[in-house]
Amino acid sequence: MLRTVLKLAAALAILSHASLGFAQQSAQTQQQPPAANQPLAQSERPLAQVPVAPVRAGEADPSIAPAATAADMDSTPKSLKPLSGVPHELSPWSMFLSADILVKVVLSGLVFASLITWTVFIGKTIELSVVRRKLRAALASVREARSLAEAQFSLGRKDGVLSQLLDAAIHEANLSDGIASDVGIKERAASSFAEISRAEARRIRLGMGLLATIGSTSPFVGLFGTVWGIMNSFIGISKAQTTNLAVVAPGIAEALLATAIGLAAAIPAVIIYNHFARVTKTYLELVARASGAAARLLSRDLDRGHRTMLARAAE
């Protein structure tokens, strides 16, 4: 009995010592967890439970995927293929370079028309400012003149519309010397004044016809380029057999560029034409004033000549 009790006590002591060591080892394991990316040892990896079928001779391994063939690659949808013909930058210059030849001609013509518009604007602005200033100065210089000769002397050798009017009046008075009717002389002088005024109006309006033509036709020329470009775009869409926006957008953008350039050429032309119409009207009013001043000087000379003749006859 005593031996049995001693054996049981020794067994309990051994079991308690073993359990204490296992508890300490478990605590250390919990304090130091293994790294997440650390691969498992070869002995700790689980074995695959999937049965592997034997491969017979002459048969392909089913675990190896077959390589993609050329037919499979060609079966890829066209909308997913890279587009090599589409320009990377849709700037006006790149769209012009990639446009159709007819659209290029239309765009070049519209740009040239816009260049003509601004050239006429600069030239006519300088010309009108110079001729108005000269005519105002000439009218101011002959305001106090009493005769045609005095007015011509005050102007000197200046070339202008008032000088032409004075020369025409003197020429008509010399040609009508000896004619007693003053009414006929004034009518003939007025006819010469009207011709000079019309010639001056034609000269000062030179270039405005181009502005009117550009302003009225440029939008339609740009619209023609747009229609042609959109037609080519639809033809390209039908050939490509896709409605991808990356394929459709460049052609339509090139077509709409023609309309934009047409409007950019037409709008300034119309505005500049209306501006010059007002300025030209003001200048022609000054020409009419100069014609009236020459007619008054001629009338004074005629009346003065008749008085001289009457005084001589009375003597």
Side-chain angles (χ1 to χ4, degrees):
M1 190 67 182
L2 182 58
R3 290 179 180 178
T4 303
V5 171
L6 292 175
K7 289 181 180 179
L8 290 174
L12 291 174
I14 293 170
L15 290 174
S16 62
H17 181 71
S19 61
L20 181 59
F22 182 78
Q24 291 179 356
Q25 185 177 1
S26 300
Q28 292 178 359
T29 305
Q30 292 178 1
Q31 289 178 0
Q32 299 179 357
N37 298 328
Q38 183 177 2
L40 296 176
Q42 184 69 23
S43 60
E44 295 177 355
R45 294 179 182 176
L47 297 177
Q49 301 296 329
V50 180
V52 179
V55 179
R56 298 179 181 178
E59 293 182 359
D61 191 353
S63 62
I64 300 176
T69 61
D72 296 333
M73 294 177 65
D74 292 336
S75 62
T76 306
K78 294 184 178 180
S79 60
L80 301 179
K81 291 184 178 181
L83 301 172
S84 58
V86 179
H88 297 286
E89 181 184 1
L90 290 178
S91 62
W93 179 247
S94 64
M95 287 189 290
F96 172 78
L97 294 178
S98 58
D100 186 72
I101 182 63
L102 185 59
V103 179
K104 287 182 180 179
V105 172
V106 170
L107 292 175
S108 301
L110 292 174
V111 171
F112 182 70
S114 180
L115 181 62
I116 292 176
T117 298
W118 290 107
T119 303
V120 171
F121 172 72
I122 296 173
K124 297 300 291 184
T125 300
I126 297 173
E127 181 186 6
L128 285 169
S129 62
V130 170
V131 295
R132 283 189 301 172
R133 179 175 54 82
K134 287 184 177 181
L135 187 53
R136 287 195 181 99
L139 288 173
S141 62
V142 301
R143 184 175 300 170
E144 302 299 331
R146 301 179 60 184
S147 64
L148 291 172
E150 186 178 349
Q152 195 175 28
F153 178 76
S154 62
L155 287 178
R157 295 184 177 180
K158 294 180 180 178
D159 186 16
V161 63
L162 184 55
S163 298
Q164 296 178 10
L165 292 170
L166 295 177
D167 292 339
I170 294 173
H171 182 68
E172 183 60 35
N174 293 331
L175 292 177
S176 302
D177 189 16
I179 299 176
S181 176
D182 295 340
V183 178
I185 297 175
K186 292 178 181 179
E187 289 179 355
R188 289 187 293 272
S191 177
S192 299
F193 295 164
E195 291 178 359
I196 294 173
S197 299
R198 286 194 296 268
E200 184 66 15
R202 287 193 300 268
R203 187 188 68 84
I204 205 64
R205 286 172 178 166
L206 185 64
M208 295 180 62
L210 288 174
L211 296 177
T213 303
I214 292 172
S216 59
T217 60
S218 292
F220 298 101
V221 174
L223 183 61
F224 170 73
T226 299
V227 171
W228 186 269
I230 291 178
M231 182 179 66
N232 289 333
S233 299
F234 280 118
I235 293 174
I237 292 170
S238 63
K239 290 181 179 179
Q241 297 180 358
T242 179
T243 57
N244 191 352
L245 187 61
V247 178
V248 178
I252 297 178
E254 294 166 6
L256 294 177
L257 181 64
T259 300
I261 299 298
L263 293 176
I267 293 174
V270 173
I271 295 174
I272 293 171
Y273 176 83
N274 294 331
H275 168 70
F276 282 149
R278 294 190 297 268
V279 177
T280 303
K281 184 178 180 181
T282 304
Y283 174 71
L284 293 179
E285 290 176 356
L286 291 176
V287 173
R289 286 175 55 188
S291 177
R296 288 190 297 270
L297 290 173
L298 176 62
S299 178
R300 290 194 190 102
D301 285 349
L302 292 175
D303 292 341
R304 191 177 294 111
H306 284 292
R307 289 177 184 176
T308 304
M309 292 175 62
L310 290 174
R312 290 178 181 178
E315 292 177 356

